[in-house]
Amino acid sequence: MKVNASFLKSLSKAEDYEATGTEVVFLGRSNVGKSSLINTLCSNKNLAKSSSTPGKTQLINIFNVEFTKDEIKKKFTFIDMPGFGYARVSKALKKVWNKNLDEFLRLRTSIKLFIHLVDSRHTGLEIDENVKEYLNSFLKKEQVLLTVFTKADKLNQSQRFKINKDFPQCILVSNTKKTGLQNLEEKIFELG
């Protein structure tokens, strides 16, 4: 699949912008690999700012993305959300962030796919369960929630088998080894 992607803008709050295609939100706890996955999917390691420092993404970052498969072009708007959980900011600022993120996710009906990223080495964490429960509390029938387990290259074969058994609808990906990405691309393309 061919990909063409560009940065559109950053938002600090739930403000409107003109989406150029199907909206896909990438969210999860801090340091799960949201920005890295967007970069890998878009074949551009400098598109989304990634860092080993948790909580680095502090704005809602918007990207225009076009996938081409068998001469069929589909346009998407990828949305890189700040991570849930860790960030070295004041409680007051964190409260404002949470309000803005909540408004953005709940009120933006043009979002068609929520990609909830979970670190494959740490399944079943309370924060991930809370994110899943939160998203399901307002998910509309035309919206899809997809769980993607990141950092699959850090697992051995039996650990990968267990995740696939425990979460049969999930996708396991590795940015380093480039595994599982085609499966994820296909899922995104289907929704476009």
Side-chain angles (χ1 to χ4, degrees):
M1 196 167 317
K2 276 180 60 182
V3 184
N4 186 14
S6 61
F7 173 76
L8 178 63
K9 69 187 301 186
S10 293
L11 310 174
S12 60
K13 58 186 189 325
E15 59 189 70
D16 204 16
Y17 64 91
E18 189 176 336
T20 59
T22 302
E23 292 185 354
V24 179
V25 172
F26 293 78
L27 69 167
R29 65 187 182 87
S30 294
N31 214 26
V32 74
K34 294 177 299 299
S35 301
S36 297
L37 181 58
I38 289 171
N39 287 343
T40 304
L41 285 170
C42 295
S43 302
N44 182 344
K45 65 181 179 181
N46 298 314
L47 185 65
K49 301 282 186 270
S50 62
S51 169
S52 59
T53 306
K56 191 73 171 174
T57 302
Q58 298 181 1
L59 299 170
I60 301 168
N61 294 305
I62 315 291
F63 305 90
N64 289 326
V65 180
E66 183 180 82
F67 282 171
T68 305
K69 178 185 170 190
D70 301 327
E71 297 186 31
I72 299 168
K73 292 180 191 259
K74 292 190 178 182
K75 293 186 177 194
F76 299 89
T77 300
F78 281 9
I79 303 167
D80 185 10
M81 300 294 289
F84 291 98
Y86 183 93
R88 289 185 182 176
V89 294
S90 68
K91 285 184 179 178
L93 181 56
K94 204 176 272 193
K95 190 175 179 180
V96 171
W97 275 1
N98 290 341
K99 180 182 180 294
N100 288 336
L101 297 180
D102 179 59
E103 284 178 10
F104 184 87
L105 294 172
R106 282 182 186 274
L107 303 178
R108 192 141 185 99
T109 56
S110 49
I111 297 170
K112 297 300 176 223
L113 175 61
F114 292 92
I115 298 179
H116 177 205
L117 301 178
V118 177
D119 187 324
S120 62
R121 300 166 300 171
H122 309 290
T123 63
L125 293 180
E126 184 179 359
I127 191 167
D128 288 321
E129 294 303 315
N130 290 343
V131 169
K132 185 177 172 183
E133 193 176 302
Y134 163 72
L135 292 171
N136 279 317
S137 74
F138 64 82
L139 206 65
K140 295 160 189 63
K141 66 179 180 180
E142 66 276 3
Q143 294 176 316
V144 175
L145 172 58
L146 179 64
T147 302
V148 173
F149 288 91
T150 61
K151 307 180 185 184
D153 54 291
K154 313 259 191 222
L155 302 178
N156 61 38
Q157 191 170 351
S158 65
Q159 290 168 319
R160 281 194 296 276
F161 177 80
K162 181 172 178 5
I163 287 178
N164 283 319
K165 182 174 171 265
D166 293 346
F167 306 94
Q169 301 301 316
C170 81
I171 297 176
L172 267 166
V173 298
S174 166
N175 292 321
T176 310
K177 304 275 187 190
K178 308 283 190 268
T179 55
L181 299 169
Q182 187 175 353
N183 195 359
L184 180 55
E185 284 176 351
E186 294 290 339
K187 289 276 190 196
I188 294 170
F189 195 80
E190 281 171 25
L191 290 166

